[in-house]
Amino acid sequence: MPKERLYLIDAMAFCYRSFYALRGLSTTSGFPTNAIYGFLNVLRKILKEEAPEYLCVCFDVSRDTFRQRKFEDYKIQRPPAPDGLSLQIPVIKELLLAYSVAAAEKAGYEADDVIATLAKKAQDKGIEVTVVSMDKDILQLVDKHVSVFSPQKDAKVVYDEKQTRDKYGVSPERIVDVIALTGDAADNIPGVRGIGDKTASELIREFGSAEDLISRSSRIRSEKIRKAVEENKDLIRRNRELILLKDDVPLELELDDLKVGEPDYDKLYEIFRRLEFKSMLKGLPPMRPDTDTAAAADDIDDGGLKKYLSGLKETGLALDADEEDIRFGRIAALFLSINGKIFRLKDIGANARKILADESVIKVGYDLKAQLICLKNNGIEVKGKLWDALIAAHLLDSAKADYSLPAIAWDYLKMHTGAKPGRQDELNVSCRLKDKLSALIEERQLARLFYDVEMPLVEVLALMETTGIALDVKFLNDLSGEVGRRLEGLIKKIYSLAGSEFNINSPKQLSQVLFSVLKLKPVKKTKTGYSTDENVLRQLEDEHPLPRVLLEYRQLSKLKSTYIDVLPALVNKESGRVHTSFNQAVTETGRLSSSSPNLQNIPIKTEEGRKIRRAFIPPDKNGVILSADYSQIELRILAHLSADKAMTEAFRDNRDIHSRTASLLYAVDENDVAPRMREAAKRVNFGIIYGMSSFGLAKDLGVGNEEAEIFIHSYFQRYSGVKDFIDSCVAQARKDGFVSTILGRRRYIPEINSKNQALRMFSERQAINAPVQGSCADMIKLAMVNIQRIIFAKGLMSKMLLQVHDELVFEVVDREKDLFFELVKKEMEGVVRLSVPVRVDLKCGKNWLDLEPV
């Protein structure tokens, strides 16, 4: 029968290694997770593959240990642990607790001493020990019952007595004597000059120990080495004292405390979700849904619903269909939750349709937009107020990374639904979430936003997605040929400038051409070589003509592959239109996003990008595309929120805010503001909203940091109310943990008080930007709801097609032009009353590009 085994892990070694090896790994909110992730990989590998009976993870407490008192320069060259690493250590300890794995540390000692002490305790009890470490000096512990496991990338290396002797030429207990001679640069322990690893091993093998070497130094054959040893006797003895591990550290832990227990999977689930470790979440064992979460559905025919029609106030709604079925309108069954019971209908008959169309019945569910679209594609109308768990959860906290139903159920009900809950379970949980989330919505004063904006918007977006937008496929096909010919010409030019043909899309080959063949100066190095990204190429434009041509090639190639060639293939055969998806629960500011395809991201700064908009047309030759764009809405909202006198007056007087800002910054009359001055002022105006630093502004304007600092200082002198507003946003975030928009939308900023400076500064920028961006989102969403309500009320044929940031795009029939233009402008400009005028620019034309002012 195999003996019991204790594994002892040197935590800090793996945390440091992971921290530097996995740079950039963090949550969406910016919390670093690289050390946690790397350490966890080691821990989970040991738990899974070795299944030890005992396990303890050992930590360093501080730099102040008995070794510093003996030698003040010990490890002095090592800087304190980076803030990003220090932040992660408490989370690692929290994870160990969840895994039921012991942790050990002791002030005044290092982790290696704790390991040595626990190893000795285990040996005294006849328990085998494996130390998990990458430090050479830990090998001194190796004997018949102690081995050292050093995890490598693709293999594991285990050192027992033989492997240690084979690698270092001495027995494990003599490792301390070898290092006493050679020193340890990692710990700033100086060795004896002229004695390297090989010589040290030979000396210890010959003399037996460092002390024997010193006492019998006259027998050393080499005069040079003999002299070195004799001149460094004190250094060798001190080194040995520093390297020798203490095995008598006073620890309160006993071996029974190191037994591996059963993990707390609930806690692990919670932590992994917080850290956004999706792969590790999947690695947790499947959990049985809570008994009161799992729901049985009763099959019922349509006639059986008749008795529920009278007095029904609310029903849960879910479709028995996967995502693809919902997208294509295929329904296997309809689930309805009525008075706590769940019914399954294979055929959606008259009574079910009455319930769905009854405006007095609230419809409750999760991601109702997708289900409304699916039902509409089957000719089934859903009317009445909606309550959507997905939208409610996002409104309550837009900073979360996961809004899946299992995630929401866990966050608010502490329920396990399983990774993929059945539709009846989904419906049951959605209905149970309603009470909890509705109470929180009321408590946080979000009721107006939820019931008057977000829920009506679900119906508006469902209608917009169903409507789609007509596309001139022939124009795009012709444009594809034109761009293709230009790309061929650019490829030839690139080869000519490079002096040879190569794979232009290969960063490795391009790097070779730029930095080895053309001898351009590298700008940035990555793990795989020198970077050739857009920023690098822009910095190299003045050194050689090739980078500029490469940028043009990349831009055209991306346009062709992302939009020009893709859009025609996305035209629905039945509708003849392209149907995008609008996402209500993605951005932290509350703005909508677009996907499949993303029609909000069509480039407009380049001529080729703008041309793509020409393909979006009204299907009726007499109709027009109408673009309604909020004018400088972010700055108008900033003026309102900050109550800055100078900015408010500029908008009230209908002055050009960028020219006004330029006149203040450059101390010139507005009539004398040059275009370059206005452009610089524009960048400052918008940069302030995004919390831009002087460094960022300097880079944006192409000026020095000092000049940018003067610009910002001058800006805040002229717009002192804006400075006060910015300070108040940061102060509110620090005090309350969130900032708010005009309509009360909250943006939670959990890292605003972080010890990590970079994370804290990022959070401060979020605190400044969120009230402005979020208010923009609120305004245009409410305008969409109001406009669509009027379209329905007046029975208009014109349609809302797209929302692109601060712009709404409509398809307007000829006979409704004047009426429709007027109602859009009126509703958008009057949707929220600000202290400054709100302006909307209306343009119309036969496509989305060639537009004329209305």
Side-chain angles (χ1 to χ4, degrees):
M1 183 175 177
K3 287 188 176 181
E4 292 182 311
R5 183 168 289 274
L6 164 66
Y7 272 71
L8 298 167
I9 302 177
D10 178 4
M12 298 311 295
F14 295 104
C15 290
Y16 267 98
R17 185 177 75 169
S18 302
F19 182 78
Y20 290 107
L22 302 173
R23 285 183 183 275
L25 197 62
S26 64
T27 65
T28 50
S29 67
F31 185 85
T33 56
N34 44 356
I36 302 169
Y37 188 83
F39 172 79
L40 266 183
N41 278 334
V42 173
L43 177 66
R44 291 167 75 231
K45 184 181 178 71
I46 290 170
L47 288 171
K48 181 181 178 181
E49 297 180 4
E50 310 301 329
E53 293 82 3
Y54 301 88
L55 176 60
C56 186
V57 179
C58 304
F59 292 87
D60 293 324
V61 179
S62 70
R63 295 161 63 87
D64 183 20
T65 68
F66 71 91
R67 290 184 176 86
Q68 269 80 18
R69 291 188 283 276
K70 284 186 177 181
F71 178 44
E72 64 180 14
D73 287 340
Y74 179 72
K75 292 188 177 181
I76 197 172
Q77 87 287 5
R78 293 192 187 183
D83 288 343
L85 176 56
S86 299
L87 283 172
Q88 299 178 65
I89 299 302
V91 182
I92 289 174
K93 291 178 179 178
E94 185 183 4
L95 278 161
L96 291 174
L97 194 62
Y99 271 111
S100 294
V101 168
E105 60 187 27
K106 188 68 177 179
Y109 298 90
E110 295 182 56
D112 286 355
D113 300 308
V114 175
I115 289 172
T117 300
L118 291 174
K120 187 173 186 298
K121 284 189 176 186
Q123 285 177 286
D124 292 344
K125 296 284 186 178
I127 295 172
E128 303 287 306
V129 177
T130 296
V131 178
V132 186
S133 175
M134 296 177 292
D135 287 350
K136 179 181 175 181
D137 55 0
I138 205 76
L139 293 173
Q140 64 185 275
L141 300 179
V142 172
D143 62 19
K144 291 180 180 179
H145 304 288
V146 179
S147 60
V148 172
F149 167 33
S150 180
Q152 306 296 326
K153 186 175 182 180
D154 299 315
K156 64 179 183 180
V157 179
V158 179
Y159 290 98
D160 57 15
E161 290 180 301
K162 182 179 185 304
Q163 276 82 2
T164 303
R165 190 178 291 106
D166 289 346
K167 183 170 178 65
Y168 295 101
V170 295
S171 59
E173 70 271 16
R174 293 304 167 206
I175 291 287
V176 290
D177 299 290
V178 170
I179 302 176
L181 294 172
T182 61
D184 188 341
D187 292 342
N188 201 42
I189 298 175
V192 177
R193 187 181 295 275
I195 297 181
D197 290 340
K198 184 179 179 182
T199 302
S201 297
E202 290 173 350
L203 288 170
I204 298 303
R205 279 200 306 273
E206 180 179 351
F207 289 89
S209 70
E211 190 55 48
D212 286 340
L213 177 68
I214 291 169
S215 63
R216 296 188 295 162
S217 59
S218 59
R219 299 186 183 182
I220 299 174
R221 288 184 290 274
S222 167
E223 183 180 346
K224 180 181 177 182
I225 293 176
R226 181 173 64 250
K227 185 177 180 183
V229 169
E230 289 175 347
E231 289 178 354
N232 288 280
K233 291 178 182 179
D234 291 341
L235 179 143
I236 295 169
R237 288 180 172 127
R238 186 203 63 196
N239 283 359
R240 195 177 190 283
E241 281 187 61
L242 293 174
I243 298 156
L244 189 65
L245 298 180
K246 291 276 188 182
D247 62 5
D248 57 354
V249 176
L251 297 174
E252 296 176 4
L253 288 171
E254 296 301 328
L255 281 176
D256 281 348
D257 298 320
L258 310 187
K259 282 186 176 179
V260 178
E262 183 69 17
D264 182 342
Y265 290 115
D266 284 359
K267 190 64 178 176
L268 289 175
Y269 182 87
E270 179 184 324
I271 300 172
F272 287 169
R273 280 209 51 245
R274 190 200 325 153
L275 298 174
E276 299 169 22
F277 287 173
K278 293 182 181 178
S279 62
M280 292 188 183
L281 274 171
K282 291 177 183 176
L284 292 177
M287 288 178 268
R288 180 179 59 82
D290 293 319
T291 53
D292 56 354
T293 304
D298 297 325
D299 285 322
I300 192 172
D301 59 25
D302 192 68
L305 288 177
K306 190 172 183 178
K307 62 181 179 181
Y308 297 104
L309 294 179
S310 177
L312 185 62
K313 294 181 179 179
E314 178 178 301
T315 180
L317 166 63
L319 298 178
D320 188 3
D322 60 26
E323 290 181 12
E324 185 175 338
D325 288 333
I326 286 179
R327 190 162 61 248
F328 290 101
R330 298 190 292 261
I331 303 173
L334 168 68
F335 288 104
L336 294 177
S337 176
I338 300 175
N339 300 332
K341 292 183 179 180
I342 296 178
F343 299 108
R344 182 176 187 268
L345 293 95
K346 291 184 178 179
D347 297 312
I348 305 176
N351 289 322
R353 289 170 186 257
K354 281 182 183 179
I355 291 173
L356 295 176
D358 190 336
E359 294 189 6
S360 67
V361 177
I362 299 172
K363 314 304 188 298
V364 178
Y366 173 85
D367 193 12
L368 287 173
K369 174 167 68 73
Q371 298 176 72
L372 296 185
I373 293 171
C374 186
L375 288 165
K376 187 174 181 62
N377 288 338
N378 281 270
I380 302 169
E381 292 291 335
V382 178
K383 295 181 180 179
K385 292 183 178 180
L386 305 177
W387 195 96
D388 192 322
L390 169 64
I391 309 303
H394 183 263
L395 182 61
L396 285 167
D397 189 351
S398 63
K400 292 182 181 293
D402 188 357
Y403 294 96
S404 65
L405 192 73
I408 299 171
W410 173 259
D411 287 341
Y412 294 101
L413 301 175
K414 288 297 178 277
M415 283 183 173
H416 290 303
T417 65
K420 291 186 177 181
R423 290 296 182 183
Q424 66 269 32
D425 296 327
E426 177 184 290
L427 184 54
N428 184 37
V429 173
S430 297
C431 292
R432 295 187 64 173
L433 281 165
K434 182 174 181 289
D435 290 340
K436 177 73 172 181
L437 271 56
S438 294
L440 289 172
I441 285 169
E442 294 289 344
E443 179 186 313
R444 298 178 189 179
Q445 300 179 317
L446 296 169
R448 182 189 176 192
L449 259 177
F450 184 69
Y451 295 109
D452 295 347
V453 180
E454 296 292 355
M455 283 300 95
L457 187 65
V458 170
E459 298 177 75
V460 175
L461 295 178
L463 181 59
M464 290 168 65
E465 291 185 23
T466 304
T467 300
I469 185 167
L471 202 66
D472 186 340
V473 173
K474 182 180 182 304
F475 170 78
L476 283 176
N477 289 337
D478 291 343
L479 183 60
S480 177
E482 176 190 325
V483 171
R485 288 187 290 275
R486 285 189 59 188
L487 285 169
E488 288 175 5
L490 288 172
I491 290 170
K492 289 178 182 178
K493 192 171 183 180
I494 290 169
Y495 290 161
S496 174
L497 290 169
S500 64
E501 293 188 8
F502 65 100
N503 183 352
I504 300 171
N505 298 315
S506 165
K508 184 177 181 181
Q509 292 186 32
L510 178 57
S511 177
Q512 177 75 14
V513 168
L514 291 174
F515 307 118
S516 296
V517 177
L518 299 180
K519 306 295 184 184
L520 300 182
K521 186 178 180 181
V523 176
K524 182 171 64 177
K525 192 169 186 179
T526 67
K527 291 180 180 179
T528 56
Y530 293 119
S531 172
T532 59
D533 65 19
E534 180 180 347
N535 289 332
V536 168
L537 293 180
R538 294 209 176 280
Q539 292 183 59
L540 297 174
E541 278 184 298
D542 295 333
E543 295 187 34
H544 194 277
L546 179 57
R548 185 176 289 108
V549 182
L550 285 166
L551 285 168
E552 186 179 357
Y553 167 82
R554 284 184 180 178
Q555 173 210 326
L556 281 179
S557 181
K558 184 176 180 181
L559 280 177
K560 191 172 187 295
S561 62
T562 306
Y563 293 105
I564 299 173
D565 291 346
V566 170
L567 286 174
L570 295 177
V571 174
N572 184 280
K573 292 179 181 178
E574 293 183 14
S575 68
R577 294 169 176 251
V578 171
H579 300 265
T580 185
S581 294
F582 290 101
N583 311 303
Q584 230 173 319
V586 171
T587 69
E588 292 189 29
T589 59
R591 283 193 178 274
L592 296 173
S593 67
S594 165
S595 58
S596 304
N598 182 356
L599 297 182
Q600 292 184 334
N601 212 28
I602 297 174
I604 58 171
K605 292 184 178 180
T606 63
E607 182 183 351
E608 292 76 11
R610 287 192 294 272
K611 280 183 181 178
I612 296 172
R613 287 195 170 199
R614 187 174 290 159
F616 295 88
I617 58 174
D620 182 355
K621 64 179 181 180
N622 294 319
V624 294
I625 293 293
L626 170 67
S627 166
D629 197 357
Y630 277 117
S631 172
Q632 300 173 337
I633 190 63
E634 292 173 338
L635 292 173
R636 293 176 192 271
I637 287 173
L638 178 62
H640 173 83
L641 291 172
S642 67
D644 181 85
K645 185 178 178 182
M647 188 173 284
T648 300
E649 285 180 354
F651 280 121
R652 286 177 177 171
D653 295 341
N654 199 28
R655 292 152 85 173
D656 177 2
I657 189 64
H658 301 315
S659 293
R660 175 62 177 156
T661 300
S663 73
L664 294 174
L665 292 178
Y666 289 99
V668 298
D669 189 272
E670 282 183 58
N671 295 324
D672 297 326
V673 170
R676 64 171 182 81
M677 295 178 181
R678 185 183 183 279
E679 180 61 25
K682 180 179 179 181
R683 291 175 183 268
V684 177
N685 274 331
F686 285 112
I688 292 298
I689 296 172
Y690 289 92
M692 182 182 284
S693 64
S694 57
F695 175 79
L697 182 62
K699 186 177 180 182
D700 198 35
L701 295 179
V703 299
N705 285 345
E706 187 175 341
E707 186 177 347
E709 188 71 51
I710 293 171
F711 254 77
I712 292 177
H713 179 71
S714 180
Y715 182 95
F716 285 137
Q717 279 188 318
R718 272 66 176 182
Y719 295 125
S720 58
V722 173
K723 180 67 168 69
D724 293 341
F725 167 70
I726 287 173
D727 292 342
S728 70
C729 287
V730 174
Q732 183 196 350
R734 285 185 179 144
K735 176 177 174 287
D736 301 330
F738 65 87
V739 290
S740 303
T741 68
I742 292 172
L743 295 187
R745 182 185 301 275
R746 293 185 178 185
R747 170 79 176 273
Y748 286 90
I749 306 176
E751 306 300 339
I752 190 71
N753 294 311
S754 171
K755 294 179 181 178
N756 183 311
Q757 184 181 10
L759 203 55
R760 189 172 63 252
M761 290 177 67
F762 175 72
S763 297
E764 289 174 0
R765 290 194 292 273
Q766 288 180 317
I768 297 164
N769 175 248
V772 177
Q773 286 283 310
S775 295
C776 290
D778 295 347
M779 285 180 66
I780 200 163
K781 283 180 173 181
L782 185 54
M784 292 168 73
V785 170
N786 291 346
I787 291 169
Q788 190 60 56
R789 187 178 291 124
I790 296 172
I791 291 174
F792 282 144
K794 292 184 179 292
L796 300 176
M797 300 299 293
S798 300
K799 305 176 190 301
M800 194 182 321
L801 303 178
L802 298 173
Q803 189 265 11
V804 183
H805 309 308
D806 302 325
E807 175 189 12
L808 292 179
V809 180
F810 303 87
E811 177 185 294
V812 185
V813 299
D814 186 52
R815 66 178 179 274
E816 295 175 356
K817 284 181 186 176
D818 293 341
L819 170 66
F820 202 81
F821 293 171
E822 183 181 348
L823 91 83
V824 167
K825 188 173 180 66
K826 179 183 177 183
E827 291 303 321
M828 290 182 70
E829 289 185 345
V831 66
V832 173
R833 200 60 67 180
L834 301 183
S835 59
V836 299
V838 175
R839 295 283 180 261
V840 172
D841 295 328
L842 295 184
K843 295 180 179 180
C844 73
K846 290 299 181 181
N847 59 65
W848 193 14
L849 175 65
D850 301 320
L851 302 172
E852 298 292 335
V854 172

